[in-house]
Amino acid sequence: MDKLPVKIMDPTLAEMGNHLSDAMKILESGKLESEQGKERRKLSWKDIPGPLQGDGQDVVSILQLVQNLMHGDDDKQGHRRMQYVGEQGHMALLGHSLAAYISVLERERLRKLTTRILSDTTLWLCRLFRYENGSAYYHEDDREGLVKVCRLVINGHYEDYATEGFTLLSSKHPVIYQSAACRPGLGQHLCSQLGLPLSCLCIVPCNTMFGSLHQMDVALLDKLIRDDRESGKAPLLLIANAGTPGAGHTDKLGRLKELCVQYNMWLHVEGVNLATLALGQVSSTVTAATKCDSMTLTPGPWLGLPAVPAVTLYRQEDPALSLAAGLTSSQPVEKLRALPLWLSLQYLGHDGIVQRIKHASQLSQQLLEHLKTLASIKTSVEDELNSPVVVFRFSQDNSAPSSGGSVEGYLAGERDILDALNRWLGEQLAQQVPLSGVDVVELEDEGTCVRFSPLMTAAALGTQENDVAALVEKLGEMIPVLCCTLCFRQDFKDEVLQQASLSYIEDPNWPGLGGVRYEPRTTDLEEDKRQHRVERINSDLLKKLMELDTDLYFSSGPEFCEEKNCIFIGMATEDLDVAELVETIVTFGRDIEESGKLFENMTEVVRKGIQEAELQLQKANEEKLMEEGVLRQIPLVGSVLNWFSPVQASVKGRTFNLAEGCLDSTEPVYSIKAQMIKEASLDSPKSATRRFPGQKLFRRHGVGSDSVSDTSSVSHLEESFRETAPVQASDADEAEVPQERRVHIVEETVLSDQRVPEGEETESVDTLR
């Protein structure tokens, strides 16, 4: 047989790879379009579907459109948080393109190629995750594999199910058992896809006394199965966890397998901890998963592979049942689902796959070691040596007030308050250290916690050891803020309740000091008008507080808060002066309320002022007529008389005082009065708090010193100001004593310098006397 010549690579495959490489470079480069194209895009209705262009577009233009749709109007690449797509990710994306190209091959060649791809991928996965003699089903929805497995079990238990259908199920109800710690909605999805009533689903509670709170109660499960069998039902399948979605705990799989063998049930396992089966050292609880009847793997997030299918490994000797359940297919095109995973696994290799999973586990151990050294942090970890998921929570058990705060009165609603603080903690860590991949999770027993699951996020985000170190550093900075806020909440509440014009808003879901509402002192208004005034005052008060130079955060509250027209104060630091904060809120609210009353009466005040001004203008005209005479009012005659005998008429100006609602004369005394008011305002400041240069509002100076208490700190400030006071004491005394005397002197001087019209000297003298 002649030796076959070496074939050159298919030019279509080469072109496909080049196109994919070019497309990824365009989409990932972040290059902005031209200014002309940007202006054209701004003027176009880009969010509204339009007609298909007749002449078509080139590849670059289409990719540019995709990039614009992906990133919207955000032209700053720093604001993008996309999954890290490496070379292995490009291989997965290439697999989707190859699947479309391979599907057009002739049928026999397509069958051989798809069989090889499916066999290789199944063999590699079974060896990687220690699942001997297994078959594989590849699916896009990670729940679809379990649905197919349930159909397989039903077909195996009910022999005539293919012909009789639901009539067999009605005579002997099937029962599917799942842990209460399973992902929400899984059981309901199964019943919906299988056409079963929800009564066929049995939720098994977790342990309450012995073992982990996230593990299935095996003894209670045994009792439930026996009760169902005695009542004529058919227990079919048990869904267990190798890493619960919330805390990452693993059920007692060995004991559950024995129970399933005893009652002839199918055991299905899923969870993130199944990824550790690829490592050299695996905990015995996870190793027991290799004996289960089926398991669902999600290699996409574990290895950072985009758009690769999930895999359900199962053991079934009868291929007819697998075909009836939909686990296998005679269509070669459906077998191409494994192609992206087939390419990616070859690119990574066995060592690369193990290294990625090992790296994620090491990140968890690194974080766990650092969390042990932090006070006020509790962890919920099943196995401290091998757990790939770390769940932690801020707790006040080990926290003590560091600056005079108190934690009394927090027995009621303490859980809700801590949940709100931990929710804020998780959101801040995710925002400030985005590469860590932490998120917030709600657990039934622990409450709100922060979860670090690098197996699901590290490969996609590219998390490294320095990211974990940054996470720990930020966490160390936030713990004192959480402790101080928790301590000052009660102090803030007590200060608010002492103010008659403030109402304390009790909202345990707010992460901060709490909420207040300024209540107007007027009680004779109608309810609608009063609510409008409360809304206006608190809205203006919030704007004024937000303009202050302070580190405190002021907000109108959560989006779905039941209380309206409120002001919520955020997290606090140890040097916060709660009394000054509340006093400032009261002062600002009172000023806004008083100024609001003036504006409410402005219409009437202005109307009366205009009427009075018209009367005085009319009176002034009459006086001018009497003073100058009738002849001077005649246009021609008046001009001749004014030329021969000029008249110096005094013009009396008027000013409208909005505060008093009356007209005032614009005499020089006005300037003196304004000066007196200004000096009086400077001599009587609104706040008696003395501040050092650079000290922000609501901060207590010297709180960090352990040897000086709050009271002594205030006294020290007063003494420091007294030491500097004698330097200007003499000047201040001299300035205070002759104040009225200077005013009279200036007033007399101004009056004496004022020009008096002819004929009014005597009247002016009499007036002065």
Side-chain angles (χ1 to χ4, degrees):
M1 185 176 180
D2 296 335
K3 184 178 179 181
L4 295 176
V6 178
K7 294 184 178 181
I8 301 176
M9 181 181 181
D10 191 335
T12 306
L13 294 179
E15 184 179 2
M16 185 184 306
N18 294 332
H19 279 315
L20 177 64
S21 178
D22 295 340
M24 295 305 300
K25 288 180 180 178
I26 293 176
L27 295 177
E28 293 181 345
S29 63
K31 293 182 179 179
L32 304 179
E33 54 188 331
S34 62
E35 293 297 331
Q36 183 179 0
K38 187 183 301 183
E39 292 297 328
R40 190 188 312 115
R41 180 162 57 91
K42 288 182 179 180
L43 298 176
S44 63
W45 297 91
K46 60 185 181 64
D47 295 330
I48 301 178
L52 182 64
Q53 297 185 11
D55 53 352
Q57 302 183 58
D58 56 6
V59 177
V60 177
S61 300
I62 297 175
L63 291 176
Q64 186 66 60
L65 174 62
V66 174
Q67 183 184 23
N68 296 335
L69 294 176
M70 289 170 57
H71 304 300
D73 297 330
D74 187 6
D75 295 335
K76 296 182 179 180
Q77 188 173 1
H79 291 281
R80 303 173 186 171
R81 182 182 175 182
M82 296 184 60
Q83 176 174 332
Y84 172 75
V85 181
E87 290 294 334
Q88 75 283 354
H90 291 179
M91 295 299 297
L93 299 178
L94 178 62
H96 290 276
S97 301
L98 285 176
Y101 173 67
I102 294 175
S103 63
V104 301
L105 297 177
E106 59 183 24
R107 186 174 183 81
E108 183 63 23
R109 185 175 299 181
L110 176 62
R111 185 188 63 80
K112 292 182 179 180
L113 180 58
T114 54
T115 302
R116 171 64 184 273
I117 292 173
L118 193 64
S119 300
D120 286 349
T121 311
T122 302
L123 177 63
W124 297 338
L125 291 176
C126 288
R127 289 185 176 180
L128 268 173
F129 298 100
R130 309 184 184 189
Y131 198 80
E132 299 178 357
N133 301 323
S135 302
Y137 172 66
Y138 302 89
H139 45 93
E140 302 298 332
D141 189 347
D142 56 1
R143 301 171 298 181
E144 186 64 22
L146 181 56
V147 174
K148 301 295 186 182
V149 167
C150 290
R151 287 178 178 167
L152 173 65
V153 177
I154 292 176
N155 279 277
H157 190 275
Y158 300 94
E159 295 181 358
D160 298 331
Y161 178 75
T163 57
E164 299 295 333
F166 70 94
T167 56
L168 292 176
L169 303 181
S170 61
S171 61
K172 196 172 185 179
H173 285 269
V175 182
I176 300 175
Y177 302 89
Q178 75 165 15
S179 171
C182 284
R183 46 180 166 167
L186 179 61
Q188 290 78 0
H189 178 75
L190 291 177
C191 293
S192 174
Q193 295 298 313
L194 298 173
L196 299 177
L198 291 179
S199 58
C200 295
L201 181 64
C202 180
I203 306 298
V204 183
C206 296
N207 295 323
T208 56
M209 297 181 62
F210 304 101
S212 170
L213 297 177
H214 302 277
Q215 289 181 341
M216 189 186 305
D217 193 333
V218 181
L220 182 57
L221 173 63
D222 189 7
K223 182 178 182 303
L224 292 174
I225 295 175
R226 284 187 280 105
D227 293 343
D228 289 337
R229 289 171 61 92
E230 292 176 358
S231 61
K233 297 180 179 180
L236 294 183
L237 183 138
L238 171 63
I239 305 173
N241 291 302
T244 56
H249 290 202
T250 302
D251 291 324
K252 299 176 181 179
L253 300 179
R255 181 72 181 92
L256 293 178
K257 179 58 180 177
E258 296 175 0
L259 208 61
C260 290
V261 172
Q262 177 183 350
Y263 294 108
N264 192 24
M265 295 173 55
W266 186 283
L267 177 61
H268 178 83
V269 179
E270 61 179 18
V272 66
N273 292 353
L274 292 175
T276 59
L277 290 173
L279 300 179
Q281 297 180 352
V282 190
S283 62
S284 58
T285 56
V286 180
T287 305
T290 59
K291 304 300 180 181
C292 65
D293 298 296
S294 61
M295 65 170 63
T296 296
L297 309 175
T298 55
W302 296 348
L303 304 177
L305 305 176
V308 298
V311 185
T312 296
L313 303 179
Y314 64 97
R315 295 189 180 98
Q316 177 55 246
E317 297 180 356
D318 191 350
L321 291 178
S322 300
L323 182 62
L327 288 170
T328 58
S329 175
S330 59
Q331 299 295 328
V333 178
E334 293 190 9
K335 298 179 182 180
L336 289 176
R337 292 179 182 173
L339 180 57
L341 192 57
W342 182 71
L343 294 175
S344 301
L345 293 179
Q346 292 185 86
Y347 181 83
L348 290 174
H350 183 276
D351 296 339
I353 296 172
V354 174
Q355 178 59 34
R356 285 178 177 269
I357 298 176
K358 183 178 180 180
H359 173 69
S361 300
Q362 290 175 347
L363 293 178
S364 297
Q365 296 303 315
Q366 178 186 353
L367 177 61
L368 186 60
E369 291 297 327
H370 285 89
L371 292 180
K372 293 179 181 179
T373 63
L374 296 178
S376 306
I377 293 295
K378 284 188 174 182
T379 59
S380 177
V381 181
E382 179 188 17
D383 186 359
E384 294 188 354
L385 298 178
N386 299 287
S387 178
V389 180
V390 178
V391 176
F392 58 93
R393 169 182 171 88
F394 167 76
S395 177
Q396 66 169 354
D397 295 346
N398 298 328
S399 62
S402 59
S403 57
S406 62
V407 296
E408 298 178 0
Y410 274 91
L411 297 179
E414 178 183 0
R415 167 74 176 266
D416 295 334
I417 295 172
L418 289 176
D419 285 348
L421 295 178
N422 281 280
R423 193 176 302 109
W424 174 87
L425 174 62
E427 293 173 355
Q428 291 296 316
L429 290 176
Q431 180 180 359
Q432 299 187 24
V433 194
L435 294 181
S436 65
V438 295
D439 61 349
V440 179
V441 61
E442 301 287 343
L443 301 180
E444 182 177 357
D445 297 294
E446 290 86 349
T448 304
C449 300
V450 182
R451 177 177 57 188
F452 178 68
S453 182
L455 274 174
M456 300 298 294
T457 60
L461 299 177
T463 309
Q464 301 297 328
E465 288 80 1
N466 56 343
D467 298 317
V468 177
L471 179 67
V472 175
E473 181 181 358
K474 290 297 181 182
L475 182 60
E477 297 174 359
M478 294 177 182
I479 289 177
V481 177
L482 293 168
C483 294
C484 294
T485 302
L486 188 61
C487 295
F488 282 130
R489 278 183 71 105
Q490 185 64 30
D491 297 342
F492 178 75
K493 180 179 180 180
D494 295 339
E495 290 288 342
V496 171
L497 293 178
Q498 293 178 5
Q499 301 292 336
S501 58
L502 294 182
S503 296
Y504 181 76
I505 306 302
E506 188 71 42
D507 188 356
N509 295 322
W510 172 252
L513 291 178
V516 296
R517 180 192 296 116
Y518 186 86
E519 303 287 351
R521 291 168 290 181
T522 304
T523 58
D524 56 349
L525 295 177
E526 298 179 359
E527 184 62 24
D528 295 340
K529 293 184 179 180
R530 186 180 183 279
Q531 289 296 333
H532 178 70
R533 177 175 293 184
V534 171
E535 179 181 359
R536 182 185 57 80
I537 292 177
N538 285 276
S539 177
D540 295 343
L541 179 57
L542 176 60
K543 294 178 181 178
K544 198 168 184 178
L545 291 172
M546 294 175 66
E547 295 174 355
L548 296 177
D549 182 17
T550 176
D551 294 332
L552 286 178
Y553 172 70
F554 299 96
S555 170
S556 57
E559 182 179 359
F560 302 102
C561 180
E562 297 180 358
E563 298 288 344
K564 303 298 180 183
N565 306 324
C566 306
I567 299 174
F568 285 85
I569 296 90
M571 309 298 287
T573 54
E574 63 175 354
D575 56 355
L576 175 65
D577 193 335
V578 179
E580 181 188 356
L581 171 62
V582 176
E583 180 183 356
T584 302
I585 295 176
V586 174
T587 303
F588 285 175
R590 187 183 301 115
D591 294 343
I592 295 174
E593 181 183 6
E594 293 176 355
S595 61
K597 292 180 180 179
L598 173 62
F599 284 106
E600 290 176 358
N601 300 327
M602 184 65 67
T603 303
E604 184 65 20
V605 172
V606 172
R607 186 181 63 83
K608 293 181 178 180
I610 292 175
Q611 292 178 354
E612 184 179 355
E614 290 178 349
L615 294 176
Q616 293 194 15
L617 288 175
Q618 183 179 0
K619 184 179 179 181
N621 291 331
E622 294 176 355
E623 293 178 354
K624 180 180 179 181
L625 179 61
M626 295 298 296
E627 178 182 354
E628 298 179 355
V630 180
L631 294 177
R632 292 184 182 271
Q633 308 305 319
I634 302 174
L636 184 58
V637 178
S639 300
V640 176
L641 290 177
N642 290 333
W643 185 75
F644 283 104
S645 177
V647 177
Q648 296 180 353
S650 61
V651 180
K652 297 181 180 180
R654 294 291 186 267
T655 179
F656 185 60
N657 192 334
L658 291 177
E660 300 180 1
C662 62
L663 291 173
D664 295 336
S665 176
T666 56
E667 298 289 338
V669 182
Y670 171 80
S671 60
I672 301 175
K673 181 179 179 181
Q675 182 180 0
M676 293 173 59
I677 295 176
K678 182 176 180 180
E679 292 177 355
S681 63
L682 294 176
D683 293 338
S684 57
K686 293 184 178 180
S687 177
T689 305
R690 307 295 184 97
R691 302 195 175 280
F692 284 91
Q695 183 180 358
K696 292 188 176 182
L697 291 174
F698 317 131
R699 291 289 186 88
R700 292 178 294 170
H701 182 72
V703 173
S705 177
D706 298 333
S707 60
V708 183
S709 62
D710 296 342
T711 306
S712 61
S713 299
V714 176
S715 302
H716 176 71
L717 290 178
E718 294 178 353
E719 291 177 358
S720 63
F721 278 97
R722 290 196 190 101
E723 292 176 358
T724 58
V727 178
Q728 300 176 352
S730 58
D731 297 338
D733 294 339
E734 295 177 1
E736 287 184 1
V737 174
Q739 181 67 31
E740 298 181 357
R741 185 180 306 170
R742 286 208 315 270
V743 171
H744 291 300
I745 294 174
V746 173
E747 183 177 359
E748 293 175 3
T749 303
V750 172
L751 292 176
S752 62
D753 294 339
Q754 184 179 3
R755 298 181 62 182
V756 181
E758 297 179 5
E760 295 186 1
E761 293 87 353
T762 306
E763 182 180 357
S764 301
V765 174
D766 295 337
T767 304
L768 292 176
R769 291 177 180 174

